[in-house]
Amino acid sequence: MMNQVAASVNAVNLGQGFMSYPPKEFIRRAAQEALVENTHNQYAPPRGHPGLLKQVGIHFANRLARPIDVSSELSIHAGANEALLSVFTAFLEHGKDQEVILMEPAFDQYTPNIIMAGGKPVYVPLRVQSGDKDPSKDVISSHDWKLDMSELEAAINENTRIIVVNTPHNPIGKVFSREELEQIGDIAARHNLLIIADEVYEHLTYGVDHISIATLPGMWERTVTVGSAGKMFGVTGWRVGWSVGPAELIQPTLSAHTRIVFTSNTPLQEGVASALKLAKENDFLSIQRQEYEHRRNRLMAIFDDVGLPYVVPDGAYYLLVNAAAIKIPSDYSFPDFIEERGPNFKLVYFFIKEFGVSGIPPTEFYSEPHRHLANDYIRFAFCKTDEGLDEAAKCLQSLKKYLKETS
């Protein structure tokens, strides 16, 4: 919807989280070479191409500090989203009212995936605890968004089967601390729950360490960790992801994957395998992190300049901007398809039409009871070129005349 509005005015697109620049040359070359290699044109085994299984196994052996048996503890998927759907399908049953706990704001694909698999999503919101800082006036940290552990545990009942933990988090940019993950893990263990760890932004952190919940004592046995080549290498269109965990969790996940898509495309699996091998010698992940941190800082500086506060992300590539200070004229006209979606959609529409910069309404990441928590925010993606960010900076200068006067 917002993409169509943005296209109608040729707005700078900081909405969807796709990269507006090409991947590194060695990544493109890896795919090109795989495509011309005659042995990569037929089905790969459902579990995954042997070369990619080997490289992802090496990656997770280092990441999780444990050996990975690629013949039983790993599965390759048609993107991380299909990996998530496969796990939900494997461990939820239709007609049983089985529940999955999501921490809001929650990636908008979780809910339809859970419902399709026969489950029921249950929502527990992260809440801002920023002390003396007012999020509508002051810059706050993504770490100020806290999960109330008593609220999490109160949401669990005899039908609860799964907790989804997304870190680094989309859209907040929060990187859960070891203490937070230990508390979540203790609750999961106490109630014998499966954990799905959505860690697609694992390599995009800024000044903090990403901790995989599967590395904590007793957590490997109950955790499926999901990752993404698209996010790792900036190739979201390749649709290659993976799930890793103990064999008793991965085998049902693989069975569901086999029914959903059967297998993932062979040449791009080989391309990702080659890219993983080459990433270390190119110091790719370190360089990429520095590049994203530069883009993050650039976008934060843009909003500093125009006078809107935001949430400083410790991970991923999104910036939540608090636009409560924007005064939309009372007689401003909105089309019916925007009017019916509420104040957050109206705010984003206003940004697109009046300032020429598009974002995403983060109320889309909330259930109806908690949607009001996001009404003042807009999510902007900084996985964009410097030229795109510079153009956004110019466009956003015009918003200053719409700022409410503050005492």
Side-chain angles (χ1 to χ4, degrees), residues 38-344:
N38 287 333
T39 59
H40 300 142
N41 291 318
Q42 306 306 322
Y43 295 129
R47 184 179 294 277
H49 187 279
L52 182 54
L53 287 168
K54 177 181 177 181
Q55 293 304 317
V56 176
I58 292 170
H59 169 77
F60 274 104
N62 293 329
R63 167 65 70 181
L64 303 181
R66 63 177 299 121
I68 302 296
D69 183 346
V70 301
S71 69
S72 63
E73 297 178 335
L74 181 60
S75 177
I76 304 301
H77 296 266
N81 195 27
E82 189 262 308
L84 291 164
L85 177 60
S86 294
V87 184
F88 292 135
T89 301
F91 293 100
L92 296 172
E93 294 184 61
H94 285 265
K96 295 292 185 70
D97 294 323
Q98 294 176 337
E99 297 180 355
V100 180
I101 294 182
L102 301 176
M103 302 170 198
E104 290 184 309
F107 177 50
D108 58 1
Q109 294 298 304
Y110 295 153
T111 289
N113 282 350
I114 292 165
I115 293 171
M116 183 179 290
K120 175 186 175 183
V122 174
Y123 306 98
V124 179
L126 298 169
R127 301 182 188 276
V128 175
Q129 298 179 19
S130 53
D132 295 334
K133 292 184 177 181
D134 180 348
S136 69
K137 299 177 182 178
D138 302 314
V139 172
I140 65 171
S141 168
S142 55
H143 193 61
D144 291 330
W145 293 65
K146 303 288 189 181
L147 177 65
D148 184 329
M149 298 299 166
S150 61
E151 190 174 4
L152 172 63
E153 190 150 24
I156 296 171
N157 59 46
E158 66 276 6
N159 293 324
T160 309
R161 293 293 180 269
I162 301 170
I163 298 176
V164 178
V165 180
N166 175 210
T167 182
H169 186 277
N170 170 20
I172 295 172
K174 175 184 176 68
V175 178
F176 281 77
S177 69
R178 180 178 295 275
E179 180 183 8
E180 289 172 314
L181 294 174
E182 287 174 343
Q183 291 175 320
I184 294 168
D186 287 346
I187 291 171
R190 198 152 53 240
H191 297 275
N192 194 28
L193 303 179
L194 171 67
I195 294 173
I196 299 178
D198 180 353
E199 300 185 358
V200 298
Y201 301 102
E202 60 177 318
H203 292 291
L204 294 177
T205 59
Y206 317 111
V208 299
D209 292 329
H210 165 68
I211 298 170
S212 292
I213 194 169
T215 63
L216 302 182
M219 289 300 105
W220 164 259
E221 294 77 9
R222 66 177 64 254
T223 302
V224 176
T225 302
V226 172
S228 165
K231 298 300 192 293
M232 181 181 289
F233 292 115
V235 290
T236 58
W238 289 18
R239 308 311 299 150
V240 177
W242 41 76
S243 61
V244 62
E248 56 269 27
L249 299 182
I250 295 302
Q251 184 55 52
T253 300
L254 174 60
S255 296
H257 160 75
T258 305
R259 299 280 67 80
I260 293 168
V261 296
F262 179 58
T263 187
S264 304
N265 77 82
T266 304
L268 290 180
Q269 286 194 60
E270 175 61 23
V272 173
S274 296
L276 280 166
K277 284 189 290 186
L278 294 167
K280 187 172 183 179
E281 64 187 67
N282 284 275
D283 198 21
F284 170 72
L285 295 175
S286 176
I287 292 171
Q288 178 179 243
R289 184 180 295 109
Q290 294 170 15
E291 292 172 344
Y292 272 95
E293 189 166 12
H294 163 77
R295 296 183 186 107
R296 180 197 71 156
N297 293 346
R298 173 71 178 119
L299 189 57
M300 291 193 303
I302 290 169
F303 283 102
D304 285 334
D305 179 61
V306 299
L308 288 183
Y310 47 82
V311 180
V312 179
D314 288 331
Y317 47 64
Y318 307 105
L319 188 72
L320 273 184
V321 173
N322 191 307
I326 294 293
K327 181 175 176 58
I328 300 175
S330 58
D331 60 350
Y332 195 85
S333 178
F334 294 96
D336 290 344
F337 71 91
I338 293 294
E339 189 77 46
E340 66 189 13
R341 300 300 292 271
N344 193 231

Side-chain angles (χ1 to χ4, degrees), residues 15-31:
Q16 284 185 301
F18 61 82
M19 296 72 185
S20 62
Y21 43 82
K24 300 295 186 184
E25 197 275 335
F26 81 90
I27 300 169
R28 300 197 305 273
R29 187 173 64 248

